[in-house]
Amino acid sequence: MTSTASPSPLPSPADRRADEARAIRFWPDVWWRLIDFKIGIIPLPIFVVLAILLTVLVQEGEIKPDGPTMIAVLVMGGFTCAEIGKRIPILRNIGAGAIFATFIPSALVYYALVPPQMVKAITDFTKFTNFLYIYIATIIVGSILGMDREVLIKGFLKIFAPLALGSVAAALVGTLVGTLLGLGPYKTFFFIVVPIMAGGVGEGAIPLSIGYAAILGLQQGVVFAQVLPPVMLGSLTAIIFSGTLNSVGKRYPHLTGEGRLQPDSDGITSSDAQARAEAAKGQIDPATIGAAGLTAITLYLLGVMAHHLVGLPAPVAMLFLAVFAKLASAVSPHLQAGGFVVYKFVQVSMTYPLLFAIGVALTPWHELMAAFTLVNLITIVSTVATLMVTGFFVGRWLGMYPIETAIVNACHSGQGGTGDVAILTAANRMALMPFAQIATRIGGALTVTGTIVAMKWIGA
């Protein structure tokens, strides 16, 4: 006798509704997991859509230097390069995210791997919008408003000691190393060591080359081509060393304040405590955040006016105005808390896109490669290392966190404001931006002025 299998019963309406509910829950859960997987700040599905859209726009010749297009291009490029750097073993521990975001686009442009229309659009947008200074303004104002008053005063007074002693030591050691390697003291000092500490390109290499050209009777372009490579390679060296110090700080936490230049005072003023509490609890309304951003822009414009009146660089003038506002209690605790939020938003969202734009528009790859001779490399590395090591030990002697003072000194060998951003990003110490600006702007200006006077005196 054969047995026949009984047919499986049909699902009941209740079972069907349960299956449909499970299917519905499965759909958003899977999608939400994809949305929550990010490349930098970009959700993965948005990343894919943007990549397709930008490819089509390039093919159609529709890449324009307008705000929406450039936001998409720079965010995609910056966070993609940074993500690559952050995933490479060993290199990710020495600031590879910032290095890749800055120098990979520079190389891609040099080897014509970026469409020319995109290069032109990024260059135009970067130069004409000047959004580097928007970034620096919000970072400076936010970080200053976040400091305890006593720490702020002592920090600004103390930072000049490691900066000055580090500059002298770096000049002596760098010149000695270059001389021993056969470059000669004159060429080593004036054309390698000084450009490293001149404050970048716009406020360092350019005025330095103008002064040199007038004294030596050469064309300014010829001199500029000689002083620019050490600026570029010195900045790269400072980025790598600062990223390395970030790793050292994680292993030896007693050497670092994690962005604080020196220990906070025991008694934080009530306004500081209130501002920090509000920011930590997220009690900041959108209007206050907008007001804080506008306050930063206003201080920058006041700095621009001060530049025209007294010749002080606008970021430095803005820095002093922000310090005065903090010390005079001119900014309420609520607005200070809004400044913290703006600072964190800009730091997280704008840093790598900004570095990508800098790499495309302001970092000539061939100039960087021109400095890659063994003799130049050893001289430049010894100069930057001495500058930072001196800052480390002098800062420790003065009661400051030695890793932080070394990183501030590193900014003295950076590529101006762009170098400050890259160095502090690699070090994860963006709160040091006010002190970095002192090292870059004031330290660079004093270096350029003193060197031109010295060259004229020697030439005479």
Side-chain angles (χ1 to χ4, degrees):
M1 183 177 66
T2 59
S3 62
T4 58
S6 60
S8 59
L10 294 175
S12 66
D15 291 336
R16 286 197 299 270
R17 285 194 297 271
D19 290 339
E20 290 173 359
R22 281 194 294 270
I24 292 172
R25 286 196 298 270
F26 173 79
W27 146 246
D29 287 343
V30 172
W31 177 251
W32 290 342
R33 281 197 291 269
L34 286 174
I35 286 288
D36 289 337
F37 182 86
K38 296 182 178 64
I39 298 174
I41 64 169
I42 315 171
L44 182 59
I46 302 299
F47 184 92
V48 174
V49 172
L50 277 178
I52 296 171
L53 287 174
L54 292 177
T55 301
V56 173
L57 289 174
V58 168
Q59 292 176 346
E60 296 295 323
E62 290 297 324
I63 296 292
K64 308 293 184 184
D66 59 82
T69 305
M70 287 298 98
I71 288 174
V73 169
L74 298 181
V75 168
M76 279 279 295
F79 282 106
T80 300
C81 292
E83 195 71 19
I84 294 171
K86 290 179 179 180
R87 293 182 180 275
I88 298 178
I90 301 176
L91 290 180
R92 65 188 177 195
N93 296 325
I94 59 172
I99 295 170
F100 277 46
T102 306
F103 295 103
I104 282 183
S106 175
L108 293 176
V109 171
Y110 179 76
Y111 293 109
L113 297 177
V114 180
Q117 59 170 308
M118 184 174 287
V119 175
K120 184 178 186 307
I122 293 173
T123 302
D124 291 345
F125 179 80
T126 303
K127 292 182 177 179
F128 294 140
T129 60
N130 213 13
F131 78 109
L132 169 64
Y133 288 104
I134 296 176
Y135 180 92
I136 291 176
T138 52
I139 290 293
I140 285 178
V141 172
S143 55
I144 286 178
L145 294 182
M147 292 183 193
D148 171 50
R149 284 180 176 80
E150 185 178 344
V151 173
L152 181 64
I153 296 171
K154 290 181 178 179
F156 273 90
L157 293 176
K158 284 184 177 180
I159 195 60
F160 287 100
L163 185 60
L165 293 174
S167 300
V168 173
L172 293 173
V173 172
T175 303
L176 177 61
V177 170
T179 302
L180 293 175
L181 293 174
L183 292 175
Y186 185 89
K187 180 180 179 180
T188 302
F189 178 76
F190 287 106
F191 289 91
I192 295 181
V193 173
V194 168
I196 292 172
M197 299 185 289
V201 179
E203 295 174 344
I206 290 178
L208 195 67
S209 63
I210 292 173
Y212 283 6
I215 295 170
L216 300 175
L218 300 173
Q219 292 184 357
Q220 188 258 336
V222 174
V223 179
F224 182 71
Q226 296 181 57
V227 300
L228 183 58
V231 174
M232 308 293 295
L233 192 53
S235 186
L236 174 59
T237 304
I239 294 170
I240 295 172
F241 284 171
S242 297
T244 303
L245 281 179
N246 183 39
S247 298
V248 172
K250 293 176 181 177
R251 180 170 296 184
Y252 303 101
H254 65 283
L255 297 176
T256 178
E258 293 294 338
R260 293 174 297 137
L261 194 63
Q262 60 183 11
D264 291 334
S265 59
D266 294 333
I268 299 177
T269 59
S270 58
S271 63
D272 291 334
Q274 181 181 341
R276 294 183 187 187
E278 287 190 31
K281 293 178 181 178
Q283 300 174 341
I284 311 303
D285 60 280
T288 301
I289 296 172
L294 184 59
T295 300
I297 298 300
T298 302
L299 287 172
Y300 173 71
L301 293 177
L302 287 171
V304 172
M305 182 177 295
H307 172 68
H308 288 293
L309 293 175
V310 299
L312 195 65
V316 176
M318 176 193 65
L319 171 63
F320 290 148
L321 289 170
V323 171
F324 176 77
K326 173 72 176 182
L327 297 181
S329 299
V331 181
S332 70
H334 194 59
L335 191 59
Q336 288 183 44
F340 301 159
V341 176
V342 174
Y343 162 80
K344 293 302 296 182
F345 171 79
V346 168
Q347 179 187 5
V348 171
S349 303
M350 287 181 60
T351 300
Y352 292 120
L354 174 62
L355 292 176
F356 185 86
I358 290 166
V360 171
L362 302 174
T363 308
W365 180 257
H366 62 286
E367 298 290 355
L368 181 66
M369 293 298 101
F372 266 100
T373 65
L374 182 60
V375 172
N376 283 352
L377 187 61
I378 295 174
T379 304
I380 291 169
V381 170
S382 64
T383 302
V384 176
T386 302
L387 182 63
M388 295 179 67
V389 168
T390 305
F392 183 97
F393 287 105
V394 173
R396 190 172 189 177
W397 177 60
L398 291 175
M400 297 187 285
Y401 289 113
I403 285 179
E404 271 64 27
T405 52
I407 291 171
V408 171
N409 269 21
C411 292
H412 188 30
S413 59
Q415 190 184 337
T418 61
D420 291 344
V421 175
I423 291 167
L424 297 182
T425 301
N428 195 26
R429 300 290 192 282
M430 196 58 70
L432 294 175
M433 180 61 80
F435 303 104
Q437 288 290 296
I438 289 176
T440 301
R441 309 291 180 178
I442 297 179
L446 292 174
T447 299
V448 171
T449 304
T451 302
I452 291 176
V453 171
M455 176 179 272
K456 188 173 183 179
W457 179 75
I458 291 173

